[in-house]
Amino acid sequence: MNDAAPAPTPAPRSARVRAPELIGKGGWLNTGGEQLTLAGLRGRIVILDFWIS
């Protein structure tokens, strides 16, 4: 007799949600004038600071 617990069933996969491009009236800060895109930042660690004046 096998007393091992049955293997857990995997959770159902959820739909992927794509993030929208970040567009604002102030533009990107501290980028040397370069306009960044999410595609260009893919695979990198990015810190966003949403500053509201």
Side-chain angles (χ1 to χ4, degrees):
M1 184 170 185
N2 188 355
D3 291 333
T9 56
R13 295 181 77 169
S14 60
R16 292 185 77 166
V17 177
R18 301 263 179 197
E21 285 292 332
L22 299 172
I23 301 171
K25 64 180 179 179
W28 290 92
L29 301 175
N30 302 323
T31 62
E34 180 182 357
Q35 292 297 311
L36 303 175
T37 64
L38 292 180
L41 297 170
R42 185 180 187 115
R44 298 181 182 200
I45 297 173
V46 179
I47 298 174
L48 300 175
D49 183 7
F50 294 96
W51 179 47
I52 300 173
S53 58

